[in-house]
């Protein structure tokens, strides 16, 4: 959402294109206007140069100066596109900085030299997913996925090169090293490094008042550790007074879920989104199962412990003391919720990645059911072929919340 006008909504998405008569895809950016609970006047304002052949991340974040930062990942060596990150003719493997109309910011580092495309702010990235500004220094921190080991968090500086793929701590998925160099004088070193990989996703600095000793700590969502399923969790990174890492703590391992986004709410609680609500067309309605934490938005208290849990449950969560339902759940019925964002009215927005035809943007409400996999978007989901589960015969109709916007 635009920081000065939260009726302006920005969406990054995968756009189908034709290249020499063959179907391809790339990353694009659209802008729309929120009218009540509907998104109208949606228009495409930017299309990336290059091809997306491996689901490129495209994280959006407005900077304090009003410019929009947009990561475009997809510089995957296993798809033969690793060199994209250093290629001056494409946007992939770069962080972009643009105006709200899609034009390059007027003071971007490569605008005059033409060394890279005018929208480019930094280069040498593989796939950046999470971004946040440090609450004290104002520096931009961004998480970046390596293939196997070598996941990073970097402090982003204009015009800087972060090395991928020529300088890397990662191994290929097949086991060999990505590069024989882990250091080079003109390459910025990562601020935080993971071995084995944790597939870092969303990140957020803690600025709440519930745990004073956690002020300035970094929380990072981990989707999977060491490529072992069911190992998603949250990492807490602790820094000294000089901003140097001194300790790490793994939280919420018992969830066993892919943590795709971490957001501190205006109430001081942590909001987490969990993926994998849609494996195999979700024939068992996992995302509708309130004893499963997959395909949900969770809300937890980092300042207390509830029973055997290593975190607390806010008393006003919708399923507290409800038999057979996990009290961490704030909302459910999502396939792969990814982005979380609070607007100026403290409303929580969430993007949910679809499977077959429809993807959606939702306003998240307490206890809300967003329909997967009874449906995809606001449409019946044709691939769920178990009619007994889809209709839940003999039960009252399920109340589902329609998306604010859907596209596909």
């Amino acid at each position: 959402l635009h920081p000065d006008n939260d009726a302006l909504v920005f969406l990054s998405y995968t756009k189908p294109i034709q290249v020499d008569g063959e179907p391809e895809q790339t990353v694009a950016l659209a802008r729309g206007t929120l009218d009540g609970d509907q998104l109208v006047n949606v228009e495409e304002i930017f299309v990336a140069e290059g091809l997306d052949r491996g689901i490129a991340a495209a994280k959006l974040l407005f900077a304090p100066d009003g410019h929009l930062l947009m990561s475009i990942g997809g510089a995957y060596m296993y798809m033969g596109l690793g060199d994209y990150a250093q290629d001056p003719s494409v946007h992939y493997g770069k962080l972009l900085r643009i105006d709200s109309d899609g034009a390059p910011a007027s003071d971007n580092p490569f605008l005059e030299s033409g060394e890279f495309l005018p929208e480019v702010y930094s280069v040498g990235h593989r796939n950046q997913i999470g971004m946040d500004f440090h609450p004290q220094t104002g520096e931009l921190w961004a998480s970046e996925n390596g293939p196997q080991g070598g996941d990073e968090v970097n402090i982003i500086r204009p015009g800087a090169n972060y090395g991928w793929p020529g300088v890397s701590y990662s191994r290929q998925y097949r086991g060999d090293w990505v590069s024989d160099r882990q250091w080079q004088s003109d390459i910025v070193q990562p601020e935080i490094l993971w071995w084995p990989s944790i597939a870092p996703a969303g990140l957020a600095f803690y600025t709440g008042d519930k745990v004073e000793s956690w002020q300035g700590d970094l929380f990072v969502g981990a989707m999977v550790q060491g490529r072992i399923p069911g190992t998603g969790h949250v990492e807490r990174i602790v820094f000294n007074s000089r901003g140097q890492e001194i300790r790490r703590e793994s939280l919420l391992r018992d969830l066993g879920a892919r943590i795709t986004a971490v957001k501190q709410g205006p109430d001081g609680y942590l909001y987490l989104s969990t993926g994998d609500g849609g494996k195999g067309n979700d024939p068992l309605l996992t995302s509708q199962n309130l004893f499963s934490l997959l395909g949900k938005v969770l809300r937890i208290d980092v300042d207390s412990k509830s029973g055997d849990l290593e975190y607390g449950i806010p008393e006003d969560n919708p399923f507290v003391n409800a038999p057979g339902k996990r009290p961490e759940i704030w909302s459910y019925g999502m396939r792969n919720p990814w982005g979380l964002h609070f607007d100026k009215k403290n409303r929580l927005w969430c993007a949910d990645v679809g499977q077959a035809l429809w993807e959606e943007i939702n306003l998240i409400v307490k206890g809300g059911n967003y329909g997967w996999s009874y449906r995809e978007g606001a449409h019946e989901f044709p691939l769920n072929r178990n009619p007994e589960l889809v209709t839940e015969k003999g039960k009252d109709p399920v109340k589902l919340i329609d998306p604010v916007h859907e596209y596909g």
Side-chain angles (χ1 to χ4, degrees):
L1 305 182
H2 195 284
D4 298 325
N5 179 6
D6 58 14
L8 286 179
V9 181
F10 294 79
L11 313 170
S12 61
Y13 59 98
T14 300
K15 173 186 173 68
I17 58 175
Q18 291 280 325
V19 178
D20 297 329
E22 297 295 326
E24 295 281 3
Q25 62 187 27
T26 189
V27 171
L29 176 68
R31 181 185 62 193
T33 303
L34 187 64
D35 183 6
D37 285 339
Q38 296 296 315
L39 199 61
V40 299
N41 301 324
V42 178
E43 60 176 335
E44 188 174 87
I45 61 173
F46 173 80
V47 178
E49 294 291 340
L51 300 177
D52 179 4
R53 292 178 172 169
I55 313 180
K59 172 70 176 177
L60 302 177
L61 179 67
F62 270 97
D65 62 9
H67 291 108
L68 180 61
L69 296 163
M70 180 179 182
S71 72
I72 300 188
Y76 303 127
M77 295 191 72
Y78 70 92
M79 295 300 298
L81 301 177
D83 290 339
Y84 261 9
Q86 304 291 334
D87 188 335
S89 67
V90 301
H91 290 109
Y92 286 79
K94 320 287 194 309
L95 180 66
L96 313 184
R97 180 170 170 263
I98 57 180
D99 291 333
S100 58
D101 61 358
S106 61
D107 57 347
N108 272 359
F110 301 110
L111 197 62
E112 292 186 5
S113 70
E115 184 181 356
F116 289 90
L117 293 171
E119 299 85 359
V120 173
Y121 192 65
S122 63
V123 307
H125 305 291
R126 181 178 181 268
N127 201 46
Q128 295 173 303
I129 295 180
M131 292 190 288
D132 197 13
F133 286 96
H134 193 285
Q136 279 82 45
T137 67
E139 294 171 319
L140 176 65
W141 292 51
S143 63
E144 184 167 337
N145 284 31
Q148 187 169 219
D151 292 342
E152 302 173 354
V153 170
N154 291 298
I155 298 177
I156 304 300
R157 297 182 173 88
N161 191 332
Y162 292 82
W164 179 264
V167 178
S168 172
Y169 291 90
S170 297
R171 287 184 181 274
Q172 304 274 29
Y173 290 122
R174 61 186 180 234
D176 54 316
W177 291 103
V178 169
S179 172
D180 59 1
R181 289 173 291 157
Q182 287 76 47
W183 183 91
Q184 189 171 300
S185 61
D186 58 344
I187 298 299
V188 179
Q189 284 286 298
E191 197 69 19
I192 299 169
L193 187 68
W194 280 278
W195 258 100
S197 290
I198 64 164
L203 57 81
F205 284 100
Y206 185 78
T207 59
D209 56 5
K210 288 184 170 296
V211 188
E212 186 174 350
S213 63
W214 286 14
Q215 288 276 345
D217 290 357
L218 183 66
F219 288 84
V220 182
M223 294 186 286
V224 62
Q225 183 166 354
R227 304 186 71 197
I228 300 173
T231 55
H233 60 282
V234 174
E235 297 246 333
R236 172 186 166 227
I237 313 294
V238 183
F239 305 94
N240 62 21
S241 60
R242 296 180 297 278
Q244 300 162 332
E245 178 190 350
I246 57 173
R247 188 165 66 252
R248 299 185 190 186
E249 179 182 12
S250 295
L251 305 171
L252 311 181
R253 284 190 175 274
D254 67 309
L255 298 183
R258 288 165 56 91
I259 306 298
T260 53
V262 180
K263 203 73 175 177
Q264 179 184 304
D267 52 13
Y269 297 122
L270 281 185
Y271 290 75
L272 315 171
S273 62
T274 62
D276 281 353
K279 281 190 171 180
N281 304 330
D282 197 20
L284 299 179
L285 291 177
T286 301
S287 63
Q288 295 290 326
N289 180 353
L290 291 175
F291 195 70
S292 167
L293 295 177
L294 303 181
K296 312 291 193 299
V297 172
L298 313 180
R299 179 175 179 252
I300 63 170
D301 185 355
V302 298
D303 190 26
S304 64
K305 293 186 178 182
S306 296
D308 294 332
L309 300 175
E310 58 184 4
Y311 49 87
I313 304 297
E315 293 181 356
D316 59 340
N317 272 12
F319 303 110
V320 170
N321 299 323
K325 300 176 181 179
R326 292 292 294 262
E328 300 95 331
I329 295 172
W330 184 250
S331 62
Y332 63 105
M334 287 162 276
R335 179 181 176 271
N336 198 21
W338 202 264
L340 294 177
H341 181 78
F342 284 96
D343 64 19
K344 289 184 176 181
K345 298 176 183 177
N346 293 337
R347 298 177 300 181
L348 179 59
W349 294 68
C350 180
D352 192 12
V353 178
Q355 177 173 308
L357 296 174
W358 298 98
E359 308 197 293
E360 56 195 84
I361 305 294
N362 293 301
L363 277 171
I364 301 299
V365 298
K366 176 181 177 179
N369 183 349
Y370 293 85
W372 177 263
S373 61
Y374 296 113
R375 65 184 191 180
E376 186 179 42
H379 310 269
E380 181 181 350
F381 180 58
L383 298 181
N384 196 329
R385 305 189 189 283
N386 189 331
E388 295 268 335
L389 289 172
V390 171
T391 59
E392 288 202 304
K393 292 178 180 178
K395 295 185 178 181
D396 292 335
V398 178
K399 296 179 180 179
L400 306 178
I401 298 175
D402 287 337
V404 171
H405 181 67
E406 59 184 7
Y407 51 103

